[in-house]
Amino acid sequence: MSSGHRLRDVEQHHPLLDGEEAAGGSSAGETERLWFIQDGCGMVCAFITWFLVLYADFVVTFVMLLPSKSFWYAVVNGVVFNCLAVLALASHLRTMLTDPGAVPKGNATKKYMESLNLKPGEVIYKCPKCCSIKPERAHHCSICKRCIRKMDHHCPWVNNCVGENNQRFFVLFTMYIAMISTHALALSGYQFVTCVKVQWSECSDFSPPVTVMLMIFLCLEGLLFLTFTAVMFGTQVHSICNDQTEIERLKNEKPTWERQVRWEGMRSVFGGQPSLLWINPFAGLRLHRLFATRSRKAGAEFSV
């Protein structure tokens, strides 16, 4: 590196590089690899998330709908609830297994910095924790042990950071969880009224005490999930429309980038013009590419 260039070790982010340069041209390949964070707390939280969604599906299907005397009521609600549950779990998997925008480790080498063709006196910033050149709007995650482009926050419930490449799936996850929570609460209310009318006889294949216990727990779960995911969904949409991540808002960072607000921000995250693909967590999934490259391990995460 020429003497006219300066390299600073910083933890706070005042970048002069954009995401493409700092990624070293590897972002396209990494986003198509299977990504998984080996964090004990995150894996437990992800397991609990799946368990609670499957529990809700069990109660709705086997306690409420199958014993129903109305065929079409059971079919319509069963199809809607299970489709939403599949979409929620698929969104969770895509959020958890997608590289959120990790900057390659150790790319702050003399050879790479010379390849950037920096102007004399231009300052670039290196993360002292993962030894990588920090792109614009990147922050270091102590759990992922990587710098993440446009990092919003690290969410243990999806066992991953929410960043540039997986924010769309996180938004879909919160939306679908809020929807199935609302649906479950509505079905529970109707079921309680129906069971009280028939004095809890013939309203379920389970005994009345078991039915009451299962439904009360489902209502508590639904209220908790609905509150949490509705708030997170609103926060995420607000952040996207204002082109400001949660970390940038908390640190009160002044934007040095050209902001993409409202629909421009939504299009940058979800891709293209508004369409059904925006709410499809399976869009863009290439299973043959996910497992085409050999596996490798690197600290707290591994990629395939």
Side-chain angles (χ1 to χ4, degrees):
M1 182 173 65
S2 67
S3 59
H5 300 151
R6 292 176 289 165
L7 177 65
R8 293 181 179 178
D9 290 345
V10 293
E11 293 187 22
Q12 291 195 348
H13 162 243
H14 302 283
L16 296 177
L17 300 176
D18 60 27
E20 295 292 330
E21 290 173 328
S26 63
S27 59
E30 290 204 6
T31 55
E32 291 179 348
R33 294 187 181 129
L34 191 64
W35 168 279
F36 185 77
I37 299 300
Q38 300 180 49
D39 174 59
C41 176
M43 290 188 285
V44 170
C45 290
F47 173 81
I48 292 174
T49 301
W50 273 69
F51 173 79
L52 291 176
V53 172
L54 294 176
Y55 169 81
D57 188 70
F58 169 80
V59 175
V60 167
T61 303
F62 293 97
V63 178
M64 300 184 192
L65 298 181
L66 288 182
S68 175
K69 294 181 179 180
S70 173
F71 173 78
W72 288 111
Y73 170 81
V75 169
V76 172
N77 282 286
V79 169
V80 170
F81 189 89
N82 280 277
C83 286
L84 292 176
V86 169
L87 291 171
L89 293 178
S91 300
H92 184 274
L93 278 178
R94 293 298 301 274
T95 307
M96 182 170 61
L97 302 179
T98 298
D99 177 358
V103 179
K105 284 184 179 179
N107 67 346
T109 62
K110 180 179 179 181
K111 180 179 179 181
Y112 176 63
M113 287 185 285
E114 288 177 346
S115 70
L116 296 176
N117 296 321
L118 300 172
K119 298 178 181 178
E122 194 170 3
V123 180
I124 57 177
Y125 293 87
K126 184 187 78 172
C127 175
K129 297 179 179 178
C130 59
C131 196
S132 62
I133 297 177
K134 298 185 74 171
E136 189 173 23
R137 307 181 70 182
H139 293 84
H140 186 86
C141 175
S142 59
I143 299 176
C144 296
K145 294 181 173 55
R146 299 284 288 273
C147 283
I148 307 297
R149 294 189 299 276
K150 287 186 68 175
M151 176 180 170
D152 188 85
H153 68 287
H154 185 95
C155 179
W157 297 105
V158 297
N159 189 33
N160 201 1
C161 276
V162 177
E164 184 177 72
N165 296 333
N166 66 348
Q167 187 176 26
R168 170 197 164 202
F169 303 121
F170 183 75
V171 173
L172 293 182
F173 168 67
T174 57
M175 182 184 73
Y176 287 125
I177 290 294
M179 291 175 69
I180 65 172
S181 298
T182 303
H183 195 186
L185 288 172
L187 291 175
S188 297
Y190 180 80
Q191 187 74 5
F192 270 117
V193 172
T194 302
C195 290
V196 168
K197 286 182 178 180
V198 297
Q199 297 182 349
W200 296 93
S201 61
E202 300 180 0
C203 73
S204 175
D205 293 335
F206 295 86
S207 64
V210 173
T211 301
V212 171
M213 183 178 64
L214 292 173
M215 291 177 61
I216 288 177
F217 187 78
L218 177 63
C219 288
L220 293 175
E221 176 194 340
L223 286 171
L224 181 64
F225 268 36
L226 176 60
T227 302
F228 174 74
T229 55
V231 170
M232 286 302 301
F233 176 77
T235 301
Q236 289 294 302
V237 172
H238 180 268
S239 296
I240 294 171
C241 290
N242 287 278
D243 196 13
Q244 184 181 42
T245 66
E246 187 64 18
I247 289 181
E248 292 164 351
R249 187 186 68 82
L250 292 174
K251 290 186 175 182
N252 197 26
E253 295 183 0
K254 295 181 179 179
T256 58
W257 59 92
E258 184 179 352
R259 301 179 74 173
Q260 296 178 310
V261 296
R262 297 183 176 85
W263 281 111
E264 289 184 5
M266 294 293 288
R267 284 194 291 266
S268 69
V269 172
F270 289 88
Q273 296 298 321
S275 68
L276 291 177
L277 293 177
W278 278 24
I279 60 174
N280 179 12
F282 299 101
L285 182 63
R286 298 183 180 90
L287 291 176
H288 65 284
R289 289 195 178 186
L290 285 177
F291 302 98
T293 54
R294 62 184 180 86
S295 64
R296 59 172 186 160
K297 292 190 177 181
E301 87 287 338
F302 70 85
S303 306
V304 176

